[in-house]
Amino acid sequence: MEKLTVLSGGMGGAKFLQGLLHGLRSGLLPGVAPEAEVTVIANNGDDWWIHGLKVCPDLDTVMYTLGDGIDPDRGWGRRAETWSAKEELAAYGVEPTWFGLGDRDIATHLVRTQMLEAGYPLSAVTEALCRRWLAPGYGDRVRLLPMTDDRVETHVAVEDPDSPSGLRVVHFQEYWVRLRAEVAARTVAVVGLEESRPAPGVVEAITGADLVVLPPSNPVVSVGTILGVPGIREAVRETAAPVVGLSPIVGDRHVRGMAEQMLTSIGVEVSAAGVGLHYGARAAGGVLDGWLVDERDAGQVERVRAGGIACAAVPLMMTDHDATAAMAAAAIELVATQ
Amino acid sequence: MEKLTVLSGGMGGAKFLQGLLHGLRSGLLPGVAPEAEVTVIANNGDDWWIHGLKVCPDLDTVMYTLGDGIDPDRGWGRRAETWSAKEELAAYGVEPTWFGLGDRDIATHLVRTQMLEAGYPLSAVTEALCRRWLAPGYGDRVRLLPMTDDRVETHVAVEDPDSPSGLRVVHFQEYWVRLRAEVAARTVAVVGLEESRPAPGVVEAITGADLVVLPPSNPVVSVGTILGVPGIREAVRETAAPVVGLSPIVGDRHVRGMAEQMLTSIGVEVSAAGVGLHYGARAAGGVLDGWLVDERDAGQVERVRAGGIACAAVPLMMTDHDATAAMAAAAIELVATQ
């Protein structure tokens, strides 16, 4: 295999990619050439504008993580970050004050915003930013593409007893950062998704891949949104490459993030099998050939297989890069041997 | 006197205003009511856009200085500043890298830029920012007005042997910050000045004043630019209030800044008398009734008087707030007793 394509959200996807690239460099991935190219198609449906800056949380989490600029404790934002501008914005009394806009991070947003305002599409801006973050370590072997250059914004309808309708619609960032996903979510609405088009290179990266991977990212607001861009789901369904995913749910909980809440909001069972069957078998109109579940969910393997999806149970905790590389290797084996 | 109006540039003007307000609060200014109102009309012809942010150096220097947010050592920018965003912008390879964009300062520019893009004029933006900086200490007794809401940009033609014309035109900030005013300036061109209009309240603050003061700011690119806004020079000439100025030149040098270079570029003699006579007597088409020179320039007093301007020699070093208040008191006495 020489071309791997990964559909990624933020933290979970970025951590998986770190392990995948570690596995690649260390020759831990069966059948994958050491010089294989990795294309990351990242969700940018959680983008938003704040204080005049265009912020792309998932793209930046992937970029900073792979470029070793991420804060390893928080899992988002920059290492050695300072927060002077945030303090000052609060002192001016401007809202919102709950979003973590670090000083180093602001530089990224200033460059991005200026390039967008100059007329460059987000994919070109991302490529320019990645010249700093990815090229030094990976040359042109790792590419980061936004799923779309169009404006797509994820909103969440949360329960609000004070509203006449009983619901309030908030931007995904408000749901996640301010409300900490602790308010019941009733539905997810992705504004602009149906009219969006895949960014340049996205469809080709899927149809031309030797393997397509769905990492343990959020199946609703990350991978689900990427697949919702018209043309991307079709490319995943039609590619000659095997498509394999890893469950973000272990037992009845997500490992990180808020997959539980999001799955519940769209009526999908919160379990490894539930997510695998939600993605569905390619043979039955879905997107998966294979699905890895955690060893603790071994009892669900047969149920997934009954849905027409190859399935195996292995340890799915990304405790270090070796453990994550082993997950990637198991995923590859699952679909390479089917 | 109950209404004082000061036409100010950046550092020199801000330092003078600190002393003036100290004198006001301490009852050190003869004939000035302790509850007098002070209106500052600041130069905003040195504004520029950088990384998508609207930066107003003179307005901010006055605002931060009077609001005790200035870095007292540098004399510009914020106290306890951090420089993370600047480091990162340089790491991205974007230019210019020589402009000091501090993280705290960036918050001011983000708020300003957003308000301007929302359609507010600069004067309204400045008023909003001053609610944080001036209102807590001064209530509505100290007002900061930009000279104009229109876009005015000062450029300097510097000698450049590599250019076919022998000249290169640079923005004032590039002349001052990057070139450190060390390259010979041949002329100053203020783009947009002739079409600009005084900001709301500016003309009224001059015509309704009991005293108009020209602090020891740069007579060319600070006070000269303010007076160049059509309607402002006329208001200064017509106001019933006395108009008094303080020399920024002591001996044959400026005290701070680059008045020497700017005066030379427009062919004005670099001396206290030279600047006073450049401003000129109101009776003879100029803007001054009185002009204070430093005690070391006492020999020039008669020459200024011969130009129809009241003149006295006193210490003009702003070594501390008391010394500066004494300068303000001497300026007031000069025109109150003429």
Side-chain angles (χ1 to χ4, degrees):
Chain A
M1 295 181 182
E2 294 184 343
K3 294 189 176 183
L4 311 185
T5 294
V6 181
L7 274 52
S8 177
M11 281 192 253
K15 209 171 165 77
F16 176 79
L17 283 160
Q18 268 188 313
L20 178 82
L21 291 168
H22 165 70
L24 195 62
R25 279 189 288 215
S26 308
L28 302 174
L29 306 183
V32 178
E35 68 282 6
E37 293 176 4
V38 176
T39 301
V40 182
I41 299 168
N43 171 43
N44 58 305
D46 62 343
D47 295 1
W48 77 329
W49 286 86
I50 176 169
H51 303 302
L53 302 172
K54 169 79 163 183
V55 178
C56 302
D58 282 0
L59 279 174
D60 287 351
T61 295
V62 171
M63 185 172 79
Y64 293 158
T65 300
L66 299 187
D68 200 28
I70 199 84
D71 182 291
D73 298 322
R74 284 195 311 272
W76 58 268
R78 294 295 316 285
R79 186 195 297 277
E81 187 57 288
T82 61
W83 304 93
S84 301
K86 184 171 191 262
E87 278 175 38
E88 295 295 318
L89 288 165
Y92 277 115
V94 296
E95 295 288 344
T97 53
W98 46 262
F99 192 76
L101 209 54
D103 300 324
R104 294 189 187 283
D105 204 28
I106 283 176
T108 300
H109 309 321
L110 284 171
V111 174
R112 175 187 291 126
T113 303
Q114 282 295 93
M115 286 190 71
L116 289 172
E117 292 190 349
Y120 289 101
L122 182 61
S123 52
V125 176
T126 304
E127 187 182 345
L129 295 172
C130 285
R131 265 177 232 134
R132 172 179 174 202
W133 293 108
L134 300 188
Y138 302 106
D140 54 5
R141 287 180 44 215
V142 177
R143 282 192 309 161
L144 175 61
L145 307 178
M147 64 186 195
T148 183
D149 281 335
D150 297 321
R151 183 162 175 170
V152 172
E153 280 192 352
T154 304
H155 289 76
V156 180
V158 298
E159 293 182 3
D160 180 0
D162 296 336
S163 161
S165 67
L167 287 179
R168 188 160 56 94
V169 177
V170 298
H171 190 284
F172 176 74
Q173 294 302 335
E174 183 170 356
Y175 173 72
W176 177 225
V177 181
R178 187 171 79 82
L179 301 175
R180 298 166 192 275
E182 288 164 357
V183 176
R186 286 267 288 276
T187 191
V188 174
V190 189
V191 179
L193 188 62
E194 288 169 19
E195 299 77 37
S196 67
R197 293 151 299 170
V202 163
V203 166
E204 295 76 2
I206 296 167
T207 56
D210 297 318
L211 178 75
V212 174
V213 183
L214 274 48
S217 289
N218 191 301
V220 183
V221 292
S222 296
V223 178
T225 304
I226 299 173
L227 292 171
V229 176
I232 294 188
R233 179 184 296 274
E234 292 70 15
V236 173
R237 286 191 37 68
E238 290 161 16
T239 180
V243 181
V244 64
L246 298 91
S247 177
I249 301 289
V250 171
D252 57 356
R253 306 295 305 270
H254 50 240
V255 179
R256 61 182 58 73
M258 31 57 223
E260 283 169 56
Q261 294 91 319
M262 294 293 95
L263 288 166
T264 303
S265 78
I266 64 165
V268 171
E269 177 192 307
V270 179
S271 71
V275 176
L277 295 168
H278 167 65
Y279 281 136
R282 286 216 285 178
V287 295
L288 288 180
D289 297 310
W291 185 240
L292 272 191
V293 302
D294 186 74
E295 52 190 346
R296 280 164 282 182
D297 296 319
Q300 300 179 32
V301 166
E302 285 307 321
R303 207 178 132 208
V304 175
R305 287 180 181 161
I309 303 168
C311 189
V314 299
L316 285 191
M317 291 292 124
M318 299 191 280
T319 45
D320 58 34
H321 295 342
D322 277 330
T324 309
M327 287 165 53
I332 292 167
E333 272 175 9
L334 179 66
V335 289
T337 60
Q338 70 179 137
Chain B
M1 295 181 183
E2 295 183 343
K3 293 187 177 185
L4 312 184
T5 295
V6 182
L7 276 50
S8 177
M11 282 192 253
K15 209 170 164 81
F16 176 79
L17 283 160
Q18 269 187 313
L20 177 82
L21 291 168
H22 165 69
L24 195 63
R25 278 190 288 215
S26 307
L28 303 173
L29 306 182
V32 179
E35 69 282 7
E37 293 175 6
V38 176
T39 301
V40 182
I41 299 167
N43 170 44
N44 57 305
D46 61 344
D47 295 359
W48 76 330
W49 286 86
I50 176 171
H51 302 303
L53 301 172
K54 169 79 162 183
V55 178
C56 302
D58 282 1
L59 279 174
D60 288 350
T61 295
V62 171
M63 186 172 80
Y64 293 158
T65 299
L66 299 187
D68 200 26
I70 199 85
D71 181 291
D73 299 322
R74 285 195 310 272
W76 58 268
R78 293 296 314 285
R79 185 195 297 278
E81 187 58 289
T82 59
W83 304 92
S84 301
K86 184 171 191 262
E87 279 175 37
E88 296 295 319
L89 288 165
Y92 277 115
V94 295
E95 297 286 344
T97 54
W98 46 261
F99 192 77
L101 208 54
D103 300 325
R104 293 188 189 283
D105 203 27
I106 282 176
T108 300
H109 309 321
L110 284 171
V111 174
R112 175 188 291 124
T113 303
Q114 282 295 94
M115 287 189 71
L116 289 172
E117 292 191 350
Y120 289 101
L122 182 62
S123 52
V125 176
T126 304
E127 187 182 347
L129 295 173
C130 285
R131 264 177 233 133
R132 172 179 174 200
W133 293 108
L134 300 188
Y138 302 105
D140 54 4
R141 287 178 46 213
V142 177
R143 281 193 309 161
L144 174 61
L145 307 178
M147 65 186 194
T148 182
D149 281 334
D150 297 321
R151 184 164 174 168
V152 172
E153 280 192 352
T154 304
H155 289 75
V156 180
V158 298
E159 294 182 4
D160 179 1
D162 295 335
S163 161
S165 66
L167 287 180
R168 187 160 57 94
V169 178
V170 297
H171 190 285
F172 175 74
Q173 295 301 335
E174 183 170 356
Y175 172 72
W176 178 223
V177 181
R178 185 170 82 83
L179 302 175
R180 297 167 193 276
E182 288 165 356
V183 176
R186 286 267 288 277
T187 190
V188 174
V190 189
V191 178
L193 188 62
E194 287 171 19
E195 299 76 36
S196 68
R197 295 151 298 171
V202 164
V203 166
E204 296 75 3
I206 296 167
T207 55
D210 297 318
L211 179 75
V212 175
V213 183
L214 275 48
S217 290
N218 191 301
V220 184
V221 291
S222 295
V223 178
T225 305
I226 300 172
L227 291 171
V229 176
I232 294 188
R233 179 184 297 274
E234 293 70 14
V236 174
R237 288 194 34 69
E238 290 161 16
T239 180
V243 182
V244 64
L246 299 93
S247 177
I249 302 288
V250 171
D252 57 357
R253 306 295 306 269
H254 50 240
V255 179
R256 62 181 58 73
M258 32 57 225
E260 284 169 56
Q261 294 93 317
M262 294 293 96
L263 289 165
T264 303
S265 77
I266 63 164
V268 172
E269 175 191 307
V270 180
S271 71
V275 175
L277 295 168
H278 166 65
Y279 281 135
R282 285 218 284 179
V287 294
L288 289 179
D289 297 310
W291 185 239
L292 271 192
V293 302
D294 185 75
E295 52 190 347
R296 280 164 281 183
D297 296 319
Q300 301 179 31
V301 166
E302 283 309 322
R303 203 175 137 212
V304 176
R305 287 180 181 158
I309 302 167
C311 189
V314 299
L316 284 192
M317 291 292 125
M318 299 191 279
T319 45
D320 58 33
H321 295 343
D322 277 330
T324 310
M327 286 164 54
I332 292 167
E333 270 176 8
L334 179 67
V335 288
T337 58
Q338 69 180 136

